[in-house]
Amino acid sequence: QVQLVESGGGLVQAGGSLRLSCSASGNLFSIELMGWLRQAPGMQRELVASVIFNGGTTTYADSVKGRFSISRDNIRNTVYLQMNRLKAEDTAVYYCNAQIRTSRNIAEPFWGRGTQVTVSS
């Protein structure tokens, strides 16, 4: 019905940058919000950033504030996460998550498969 496809992960040295993309496709009526969560081995999954599609209000984890920037493209149903000044502790699998209204007319959660981000120290 609805799927999220992530891209942009990879290996980068500390201090470098990466940009993640997540595109939603399928039978969707509207996207209410999209965001990125990450999980490192042995760590709890945490919300990194999110954006409300209507007004563009953003939320960031304290650990990435000032370094990461989330944005969305309403036409392409895509969210981006620009990650700058990356640190080793940013290493994790990053998952795209979205609250999407479908034909059921309720907001439902959808998940991407995840993309690996590895930052070498």
Side-chain angles (χ1 to χ4, degrees), residues 23-24 28 31 53 72-80:
S23 296
L28 58 90
I31 300 173
F53 261 54
R72 89 287 195 203
D73 185 327
N74 298 76
I75 303 301
R76 294 180 171 86
N77 291 331
T78 299
V79 65
Y80 305 95

Side-chain angles (χ1 to χ4, degrees), residues 18-118:
L18 286 173
R19 190 180 75 156
L20 306 183
S21 299
C22 176
S23 296
S25 61
N27 185 217
L28 58 90
F29 284 1
S30 64
I31 300 173
E32 295 192 349
L33 67 87
M34 294 184 75
W36 294 90
L37 296 91
R38 68 186 182 186
Q39 187 165 24
M43 302 292 288
Q44 294 282 339
R45 186 177 62 189
E46 65 172 340
L47 176 66
V48 178
S50 64
V51 58
I52 298 174
F53 261 54
N54 187 21
T57 301
T58 58
T59 300
Y60 296 95
D62 288 341
S63 59
V64 306
K65 187 178 180 180
R67 299 188 297 119
F68 292 9
S69 180
I70 190 169
S71 61
R72 89 287 195 203
D73 185 327
N74 298 76
I75 303 301
R76 294 180 171 86
N77 291 331
T78 299
V79 65
Y80 305 95
L81 184 67
Q82 180 66 46
M83 305 184 293
N84 299 320
R85 301 188 300 281
L86 283 160
K87 305 175 180 179
E89 48 263 46
D90 295 319
T91 296
V93 177
Y94 285 69
Y95 297 92
C96 180
N97 171 260
Q99 294 288 331
I100 297 176
R101 190 170 296 275
T102 67
S103 60
R104 296 177 62 183
N105 203 30
I106 57 174
E108 299 176 83
F110 294 92
W111 293 87
R113 294 179 179 179
T115 184
Q116 178 70 48
V117 172
T118 302

